[in-house]
Amino acid sequence: MVAEDDEKQAELVRRYLEREGYAVTVVPDGRRAIEEVRRREPDLLVLDVMMPRADGLDVVRVLRAEAREVPVLMLTARSTEDDLLLGLDLGADDYMTKPYSPRELMARVRTLLRRTRRSGPAAPESARLRVGSLVVDPDRHEVSVDGTPVECTPGEFRLLAAMAAEPGRVFGRQQLLAELHGFDRYISDRTVDVHVMNLRKKIEPHPRRPVRLLTVFGVGYKLTDPAKGGRDASA
């Protein structure tokens, strides 16, 4: 689905997506985008930020509040880091600033769909990633803590799954960025910090005093079993 109020831009994106073999629905405003995502459940939402009747940030806010996991690729004329990080903080998975290359847009669409595509059957017990009471199921795209389901955006899930696959390993920000946006050399490493902050709100009993997702100062982050390790008291 493409949500874009500029008819020329919407038509350009639609043509490129259809040329790649995708079925495309175009909507001209934010409210229609919310309604159509609820009705159609698309595989991906390409979302302009500046739109009438609810901007793109409001659209992401509503969809994530409803626990809808549709991947969101934002298109924005805003180039300041704070604006871009706000979109990621709300639950968007990637962004491009205008003007952009349609070919790069298609590359990002392919990568985002590949990384967020889920299969229906549950993963075998041996395929699930466990770090103490934290369980990550890569096949079903599910996370739980102490048996309680945790809703994660696709970006948050990719970062968490990468660390859960190697508990105790310290991941640098650039390594984690490669998990999120492997081909993109322009995204700030503060993107990782935003995802970590949001994950701590979801998986930590006290996000300001994390015991699972820890900071290793000057290096990056690691995921640990709190029953086996200490605490990052100043994260």
Side-chain angles (χ1 to χ4, degrees), residues 68-228:
R68 298 185 185 276
E69 296 183 357
V70 55
V72 176
L73 170 58
M74 294 196 313
L75 305 177
T76 176
R78 299 171 177 175
S79 59
T80 67
E81 188 176 65
D82 287 344
D83 285 334
L84 300 174
L85 290 175
L86 175 58
L88 294 170
D89 188 25
L90 290 172
D93 300 283
D94 197 0
Y95 62 81
M96 293 188 68
T97 55
K98 297 180 178 180
Y100 53 83
S101 160
R103 291 180 62 188
E104 183 182 356
L105 175 61
M106 295 305 105
R108 293 191 187 217
V109 165
R110 288 192 297 270
T111 300
L112 194 53
L113 284 171
R114 183 171 63 248
R115 293 187 176 187
T116 58
R117 187 170 290 119
R118 293 178 292 163
S119 59
E125 186 68 21
S126 60
R128 296 175 188 173
L129 305 173
R130 294 181 177 273
V131 184
S133 61
L134 171 70
V135 180
V136 180
D137 187 331
D139 286 345
R140 300 190 69 180
H141 201 279
E142 292 178 351
V143 176
S144 65
V145 176
D146 297 319
T148 301
V150 175
E151 296 290 343
C152 293
T153 68
E156 293 166 1
F157 184 88
R158 291 196 298 276
L159 187 149
L160 189 62
M163 289 191 289
E166 299 184 71
R169 174 188 169 185
V170 180
F171 287 82
R173 286 178 174 83
Q174 290 301 316
Q175 291 172 305
L176 293 173
L177 272 176
E179 294 293 332
L180 294 168
H181 310 285
F183 53 86
D184 190 348
R185 65 188 184 276
Y186 299 109
I187 294 181
S188 164
D189 59 9
R190 283 192 59 195
T191 300
V192 170
D193 299 332
V194 173
H195 283 302
V196 167
M197 179 181 65
N198 290 336
L199 280 169
R200 283 175 172 163
K201 294 175 183 177
K202 298 175 179 182
I203 68 173
E204 297 282 2
H206 304 288
R208 293 183 180 273
R209 300 192 302 276
V211 294
R212 290 189 174 91
L213 183 46
L214 308 182
T215 299
V216 179
F217 290 105
V219 184
Y221 299 101
K222 66 179 179 179
L223 191 65
T224 65
D225 179 354
K228 297 180 179 179

Side-chain angles (χ1 to χ4, degrees), residues 1-7 10 25-38 45-60 62-63:
M1 180 174 298
V2 177
E4 169 66 78
D5 64 316
D6 184 311
E7 292 184 6
T25 299
V26 177
V27 295
D29 61 68
R31 190 173 300 174
R32 282 282 303 282
I34 294 170
E35 293 170 352
E36 291 300 306
V37 168
R38 288 169 176 165
L45 174 60
V46 179
L47 178 67
D48 186 35
V49 172
M50 301 298 291
M51 288 191 300
R53 302 182 71 206
D55 66 21
L57 297 176
D58 286 333
V59 171
V60 175
V62 169
L63 295 179

